[in-house]
Structures are given as C-alpha cells and as structure tokens.
C-alpha cells in the first residue's frame, strides 16, 4: 500500500465544491424538519432541536463560504 502526501492529492474542482455544498444544504433542509417532528411527537418539554438546528446552519454557512466565497484557485 502506497501513501501519497496530501499535496499530491487531486485538488477539489469548483464543481465538486459546489456539488458538495448543494448536497449538504439538501440534507440539512430535509433532516431539520424531521428532527423537529421527532421532538413534536415525543416529549415537548424541552426544545432540543434549538441546539442542533442553528449549529448545523452555521456549518452550512461555513460550507457555503468555503465553496463559493473563499475558494482557492487551482493552478497546476
């Protein structure tokens, strides 16, 4: 088994970065209502999705920034 240094790994293309962000956003948009539904159908005494929803949204925001705003140019 040969190991390559990370600098020799193929760089992520802009399309792959954008596709990864779209998948992340889609999963967030589909999973968040499911989390809230589970909370609603079970014990509604403490709104625990209030912790996961904003935290995950921040992750999606940073993923967006990395894919569209602060992406590195690939020069080979």
């Amino acid at each position: 088994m040969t190991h390559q240094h990370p600098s020799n790994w193929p760089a992520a293309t802009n399309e792959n970065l954008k596709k990864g962000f779209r998948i992340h956003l889609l999963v967030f948009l589909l999973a968040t209502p499911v989390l809230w539904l589970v909370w609603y159908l079970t014990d509604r005494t403490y709104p625990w999705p209030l912790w996961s929803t904003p935290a995950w949204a921040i992750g999606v925001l940073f993923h967006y920034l990395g894919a569209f705003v602060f992406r590195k140019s690939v020069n080979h």
Side-chain angles (χ1 to χ4, degrees), residues 32-50:
T32 300
V34 172
L35 292 174
W36 281 97
L37 182 64
V38 168
W39 167 78
Y40 183 78
L41 295 175
T42 59
D43 185 17
R44 286 181 262 161
T45 57
Y46 181 75
W48 52 266
L50 281 177

Side-chain angles (χ1 to χ4, degrees), residues 3 15 20 24 27 34-35 38-40 45-46 49 51 54-55 62-64 73-74:
H3 297 286
E15 286 305 311
H24 189 182
V27 171
V34 172
L35 292 174
V38 168
W39 167 78
Y40 183 78
T45 57
Y46 181 75
W51 290 98
F62 277 98
H63 197 166
Y64 170 81
S73 63
V74 178

Side-chain angles (χ1 to χ4, degrees), residues 2-12 72 74 76:
T2 62
H3 297 286
Q4 292 182 342
H5 191 270
S7 63
N8 294 332
W9 293 350
K72 295 180 182 179
V74 178
H76 288 297

